[in-house]
Amino acid sequence: MHAMNANTFTAGAFHISDAKHTEDFIKGLKEAILNNQWMCGFPEKLLMFRINDDYVVSVFGNLTLIEVFQKKLQAQYPSAQLVVEEAF
């Protein structure tokens, strides 16, 4: 998370203990992030990736930072599937 402002850059990686719940987790996390009330500006973009069947990575914030994060993540994990791409 960005030290001064969470809407600039925030990322999280989650291990889902039972892969059959991954889709429900993705839907719930997406809804929770998009329904936040932002006090000082808005993040520009939300991305969520599924890696294998039991890991989810979410990232939101400034468009430039998100694009760099996406390139680095997909270079390290070529199997990462982009499952959510939303503008705020």
Side-chain angles (χ1 to χ4, degrees):
M1 181 181 290
H2 189 275
M4 296 296 288
N5 198 344
N7 58 2
T8 301
F9 180 86
T10 298
F14 307 90
H15 179 237
I16 312 305
S17 60
D18 188 341
K20 69 182 178 185
H21 299 294
T22 302
E23 286 302 318
D24 291 335
F25 176 82
I26 290 168
K27 288 177 188 173
L29 183 59
K30 175 185 170 184
E31 184 178 312
I33 293 170
L34 291 176
N35 287 329
N36 270 327
Q37 296 292 321
W38 303 100
M39 307 243 335
C40 298
F42 292 87
E44 295 176 285
K45 194 170 205 178
L46 164 66
L47 299 179
M48 294 177 74
F49 300 88
R50 185 176 188 157
I51 302 172
N52 300 325
D53 288 329
D54 57 346
Y55 284 90
V56 174
V57 175
S58 68
V59 59
F60 62 88
N62 173 275
L63 186 57
T64 302
L65 297 174
I66 300 308
E67 289 172 347
V68 170
F69 185 90
Q70 180 178 9
K71 287 178 188 173
K72 301 287 185 180
L73 177 80
Q74 291 182 308
Q76 285 295 308
Y77 299 96
S79 66
Q81 299 174 331
L82 180 62
V83 293
V84 172
E85 183 172 10
E86 293 280 339
F88 280 82

